Amino acid sequence: MPSVLPIDPPQRLVRSLHGHPDTEEAAAAAKWLEKLPGLLETVLRRWDLTDERVVSPGGRTSLLVLVRQADGTPAALKLTAPGTSAAREAEALAHWNGWGAVRLLRSAPEDGALLLERLHGEVSLRSLPEAKAVLEASSVLRRLWVSPAPGHGFDSVAERTAVEAEMIREHAPDEVRPLVGEALELRDELLADPQDEVLLHGDFRQGAVLSGSGERAPWLVAGPEPLTGEPAYDLARLVRDRLHDVMASAGAPAATRRRVHRLADSLEVERDRLRGWALFRAARSGVRHLWRGDRQDGEALLEFAGWL
């Protein structure tokens, strides 16, 4: 039975939700945080789970609680905040069925609740040396890039980036308009020449690939923001992994371009397409960070985009 102990949402989650610049979204997030203890109690009782502890620092858009199922099997309960799609995440995880990804045990999308197999969340690919981490990440990506099921409900890269392009146009500061203009032009060019569509993770990075039990797979990905499109879009987020380490190194722009080439070649993706999506996604993230008031990370991302 659930212990229903008082919960203290991790500060990373609280800061992220309260810091949203859109007042309506911030209000919805605050309301969700207020109701979170009751929601957790409801889901624990419904699924006969016993809570052990809240994972901290956790994510920026969800609460993760380590739990035990009725038979004592460990699991992880994820409660997602407004603005995220538990239904789409559940659909993707069910389609992968544990192939390269965490296994979905139960879901209640109407409550934003997902019950997942428990991974070793404290150990990600970021704990490995860079070369080994990239090798393992590439292996996981090859498993994820499968054809989506007929009649799926996922957005396409074109649909998702259309929304992002509008955000960029509206909120980009004047001093980065030339870079933003190039990013938007590259997006249009890439979409005008469509490639084979596969199911994408959407936010693939080293920190999202966690240590598994070892019985099924050593590394499994979690936290998808699934959509459909070409592999180069998914790989683009991996290009800027360990960004602050890259920026602190000598010859960072040249090293970044070499990374694009290595990743593209290792996964048989066209270099120019990977460079284009990496630039667009970095510019999009940089503008979004600036819009939310995070100038340090925003400027770093835009500088990175300029190297490409």
Side-chain angles (χ1 to χ4, degrees):
M1 291 297 292
S3 60
V4 198
L5 295 173
I7 65 168
D8 184 17
Q11 285 304 301
R12 175 190 285 183
L13 175 62
V14 174
R15 287 195 301 268
S16 175
L17 296 182
H18 282 312
H20 200 290
D22 186 294
T23 54
E24 289 187 6
E25 291 198 25
K31 188 175 182 180
W32 178 78
L33 283 170
E34 183 180 334
K35 294 182 175 181
L36 194 52
L39 175 60
L40 174 61
E41 179 179 353
T42 297
V43 177
L44 289 173
R45 292 189 182 281
R46 180 192 303 161
W47 288 344
D48 198 11
L49 304 172
T50 301
D51 54 316
E52 295 183 339
R53 66 178 177 87
V54 173
V55 175
S56 184
R60 290 181 170 83
T61 59
S62 63
L63 180 78
L64 190 66
V65 183
L66 300 185
V67 298
R68 293 273 174 180
Q69 300 182 75
D71 63 359
T73 305
L77 175 62
K78 181 177 182 179
L79 299 177
T80 61
T84 57
S85 178
R88 296 289 78 79
E89 181 172 348
E91 184 180 354
L93 292 177
H95 188 63
W96 285 318
N97 193 27
W99 183 247
V102 63
R103 195 181 297 280
L104 177 70
L105 304 178
R106 302 182 73 164
S107 67
E110 68 279 6
D111 293 322
L114 304 173
L115 186 65
L116 309 168
E117 74 172 302
R118 190 186 298 188
L119 304 180
H120 299 292
E122 71 282 0
V123 182
S124 74
L125 286 184
R126 289 181 63 85
S127 66
L128 300 180
E130 172 73 6
K132 177 65 172 174
V134 170
L135 182 64
E136 296 290 352
S138 299
S139 177
V140 171
L141 276 174
R142 287 185 184 279
R143 294 182 176 90
L144 298 182
W145 290 342
V146 297
S147 298
H152 66 80
F154 304 115
D155 288 341
S156 67
V157 166
E159 291 168 328
R160 183 171 297 180
T161 58
V163 176
E164 295 171 345
E166 286 304 312
M167 183 276 295
I168 291 174
R169 292 188 184 96
E170 183 175 355
H171 298 291
D174 290 341
E175 61 268 23
V176 298
R177 288 286 172 180
L179 177 63
V180 164
E182 181 181 355
L184 293 172
E185 288 178 8
L186 281 170
R187 170 190 175 270
D188 291 344
E189 292 172 7
L190 291 165
L191 292 177
D193 180 22
Q195 306 291 297
D196 291 340
E197 278 205 350
V198 295
L199 179 57
L200 306 176
H201 180 277
D203 190 29
F204 189 88
R205 61 198 191 284
Q206 293 179 22
V209 185
L210 307 178
S211 176
S213 64
E215 300 171 0
R216 202 161 61 75
W219 300 102
L220 296 165
V221 75
E225 297 177 6
L227 71 168
T228 60
E230 64 170 305
Y233 178 89
D234 233 7
L235 193 56
R237 175 61 181 81
L238 195 62
V239 169
R240 70 172 193 261
D241 234 316
R242 310 194 194 201
L243 176 57
H244 293 291
D245 292 343
V246 174
M247 297 189 75
S249 63
T256 296
R257 291 188 286 272
R258 287 195 298 272
R259 179 185 280 188
V260 169
H261 295 168
R262 285 197 301 271
L263 284 171
D265 294 347
S266 67
L267 284 159
E268 301 174 349
V269 168
E270 292 181 30
R271 290 179 176 183
D272 285 345
R273 298 192 72 86
L274 178 55
R275 184 192 73 86
W277 282 123
L279 195 159
F280 174 82
R281 295 193 68 177
R284 172 264 181 198
S285 294
V287 171
R288 187 170 183 271
H289 275 79
L290 293 179
W291 181 36
R292 294 177 67 106
D294 183 358
R295 178 156 293 276
Q296 181 176 1
D297 283 345
E299 290 177 348
L301 285 159
L302 291 168
E303 181 179 357
F304 173 84
W307 298 342
L308 296 166

